[in-house]
């Protein structure tokens, strides 16, 4: 990575600070120039037009820098995964297309491994029966069919599940005996 991409957030922050100070400075200088033109007499319209145009231009540039900084910070942020939040962001992105560039729905989406781990935990805790667990795993695999190669998908998942199921049964039996 280059220095610019590593420090993009600082460069955007500097842009926000400079354009904000510039817009405020142009507005203040324009106000002073307008008052002095009123006192001394002269073409008032030209002074006001330059002041307003300069302030609006810098304020617009400031808004662009703020949006870019917010986007950069959101892209660097680490979010906890949550399916409910992911679904809500996906719906919001559908109705507000500019938000798609942030990709918040995808950032909150739990991975296949996280969802499988959650199912394993619920099964070990006894919240799911073996049949419910297997149905949930099959449903999960059906949703993410493209992430697992077709040739060995069932064999690999069955082997992993058999090992985890065996360990879960042993753990539950030890807990029942104690």
């Amino acid at each position: 990575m280059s220095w610019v991409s590593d420090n993009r957030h600082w460069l955007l922050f500097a842009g926000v600070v400079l354009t904000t100070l510039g817009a405020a400075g142009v507005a203040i200088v324009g106000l002073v120039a307008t008052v002095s033109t009123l006192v001394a007499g002269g073409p008032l319209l030209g002074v006001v037009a330059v002041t307003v145009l300069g302030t609006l231009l810098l304020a617009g540039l400031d808004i662009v820098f703020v949006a870019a900084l917010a986007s950069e910070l959101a892209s660097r942020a680490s979010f906890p995964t949550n399916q409910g939040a992911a679904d809500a962001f996906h719906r919001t992105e559908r109705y507000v297309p500019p938000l798609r560039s942030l990709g918040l729905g995808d950032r909150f989406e739990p991975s296949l491994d996280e969802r499988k781990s959650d199912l394993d935990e619920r099964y070990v805790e006894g919240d799911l029966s073996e049949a419910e667990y297997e149905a949930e795993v099959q449903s999960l695999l059906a949703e993410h069919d493209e992430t697992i190669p077709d040739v060995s998908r069932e064999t690999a998942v069955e082997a992993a599940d058999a090992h985890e199921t065996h360990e879960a049964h042993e753990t539950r039996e030890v807990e029942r005996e104690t």
Side-chain angles (χ1 to χ4, degrees), residues 54-137:
T55 303
L56 289 177
L57 180 66
L58 286 170
L61 190 57
D62 192 29
I63 290 170
V64 170
F65 276 126
V66 167
L69 179 61
S71 176
E72 178 70 19
L73 293 176
S75 70
R76 288 176 179 254
S78 174
F79 298 110
T81 58
N82 181 303
Q83 189 61 48
D87 292 342
F89 279 116
H90 282 304
R91 280 192 304 274
T92 304
E93 289 169 353
R94 202 174 11 200
Y95 295 116
V96 185
L99 291 180
R100 286 186 199 143
S101 66
L102 296 177
L104 293 175
D106 294 335
R107 288 184 185 281
F108 280 94
E109 188 85 36
S111 69
L112 178 64
D113 292 336
E114 290 171 326
R115 292 174 70 187
K116 173 83 169 65
S117 176
D118 183 47
L119 285 175
D120 293 342
E121 189 175 308
R122 289 175 53 204
Y123 177 68
V124 169
E125 291 175 357
D127 294 341
L128 295 175
S129 69
E130 187 171 349
E132 291 171 326
Y133 173 76
E134 289 175 5
E136 290 285 335
V137 168

Side-chain angles (χ1 to χ4, degrees), residues 120 123-124 162-174:
D120 293 342
Y123 177 68
V124 169
H163 180 26
E164 292 173 5
T165 302
H166 179 69
E167 289 180 357
H169 284 297
E170 287 181 354
T171 303
R172 277 198 264 181
E173 291 200 19
V174 167

Side-chain angles (χ1 to χ4, degrees), residues 9-57:
H9 59 290
W10 290 115
L11 294 171
L12 291 170
F13 179 72
V16 167
V17 169
L18 292 175
T19 54
T20 301
L21 292 174
V26 167
I28 290 170
V29 168
L31 183 63
V32 169
T34 302
V35 169
S36 68
T37 301
L38 283 173
V39 171
L44 183 63
L45 185 58
V47 172
V48 171
V50 168
T51 301
V52 170
L53 183 63
T55 303
L56 289 177
L57 180 66

